[in-house]
Amino acid sequence: MTARQPSTGEDGDRERERERGRAWEGISTTGANDESMIERTITPVRNRAREAGESRSASPVLELDGVTRSFGPETAVADLSLSVYEGELLTLLGPSGCGKTTTLRLLAGLDRPDAGQIRLGEESVAGPETFVPPDERDVGLVFQSFALFPHLTVGENVAFGIANRPSDAVDERVTELLELVGLSDYRDHSPDDLSGGQRQRIALARSLAPEPEVLLLDEPFSNLDVGLRKEMREEVRRIIKETGVTAVSVTHDQEEALSISDRVAVISDGHVQQVDRPEVVFEQPESRFVAEFLGQAGFVTGQLRRGAVESEIGTVDAAVVEGLGDEYEGAAVDILVRPDDLRATPAEGPEANGRIVERQYTGPSFVYSVELASGDVVYCEHNHADDLDLDQSVRVDLSVDHPLAWFPAE
């Protein structure tokens, strides 16, 4: 291994900055004994997380301020604060029992908070001395079960929430929405004649008919076949964006949340763990819970020494690890690595640093679980044509095109 010489004074500072700059230009760094090169093509996206969190000039359309809801001894939502801005689609994401559905019910007016306040625009709709019932809130709700009325036609279902308008206006609005969701030919059909995806679009059209200020979606794709979900995610996002409505969705499906949302709020035990753009939440998680909940997460342990993290998969330049500055010199850290950040190649003897202990075939790719010498397990994603055997010795190398997240070592 080529030893790094300690740098001191202004010359050392300038050299460290040059090294960081080279790392971000895609320079390869040397692993143990100069026998492997860890390829990096790091793009200049250091400020992505900061840009995503920049202040907004607009006031929130929907705001929760210190909202709490308990059921007996169990606290479902704990001092939760969150803002939703005009025209965005924000998804509440978390495991079962985390409080996301309770939060949606509080927003809809189907439940009342024990503490805190909910504001819709400038109006308080729930608080210590205020509670506006669901039918008086300017909110639309798409239920998980779609909840269409079987005794009404498709057109009558869409018109249900606007029946008090003049008949000409109702007819015009129903026509507009059926065209929007691509089901104009089904106006006089029964909901029983529709497929699952079609019923979902009618449920969405019905909720949009009164032109609500906020649209709430409760696990909107959970009742659809797996093959239909991707298509309907794209379709629902298109419809929401074309209408310009502000929307809040609830799901436990990470792929769904990451693919349709403008922002994602990850919830655990009634608390918001992180809220940001999908790519920021995935690539720069602020907690281990977020890192491990969103996709497969592996951690490589190392120690920061003179601008680099020395780990069992090689030397990782600190310049490619987000926020890992000189002030952490000597600290033990865990670097978050996803399956697409790593490559495993067959190796023997001192060349090897891991062993394949499991493999998962997904169709387009294999995901290999590799146990490192320390006992830590990381994941490597390969093209389906790369066929590595269980119990095979391999060398794991890092190959990334984005900043890496890190946490204090456990």
Side-chain angles (χ1 to χ4, degrees), residues 307-322:
V309 177
E310 298 172 1
S311 77
E312 59 186 319
I313 66 168
T315 300
V316 182
D317 197 308
V320 304
V321 184
E322 185 74 26

Side-chain angles (χ1 to χ4, degrees), residues 24 46 50 274 280-291 297-304 308-309 311 316-338 341 402-410:
W24 287 98
R46 287 173 179 258
R50 285 188 290 274
Q274 185 174 356
V280 176
V281 173
F282 184 81
E283 294 178 12
Q284 296 297 324
E286 294 177 357
S287 70
R288 283 181 181 268
F289 172 83
V290 174
F299 295 93
V300 175
T301 301
Q303 190 169 33
L304 179 63
V309 177
S311 77
V316 182
D317 197 308
V320 304
V321 184
E322 185 74 26
L324 189 59
D326 293 341
E327 64 271 27
Y328 297 103
E329 176 69 22
V333 299
D334 286 344
I335 299 176
L336 169 65
V337 286
R338 303 285 189 188
D341 295 331
H402 61 88
L404 297 172
W406 66 278
F407 301 92
E410 288 190 340

Side-chain angles (χ1 to χ4, degrees), residues 20 23 58 74 101 132 169 187 268 289 302 341 355 362 389 396 400:
R20 290 192 177 98
E74 299 294 328
T101 299
V132 177
R187 184 173 189 140
S268 174
F289 172 83
D341 295 331
R355 178 177 62 88
T362 66
D389 296 326
V396 176
V400 296

Side-chain angles (χ1 to χ4, degrees), residues 171-187:
D171 184 70
E172 182 180 349
R173 182 64 173 156
V174 171
T175 299
E176 176 188 355
L177 287 168
L178 289 177
E179 288 178 356
L180 177 67
V181 300
L183 293 172
S184 297
D185 293 341
Y186 291 84
R187 184 173 189 140

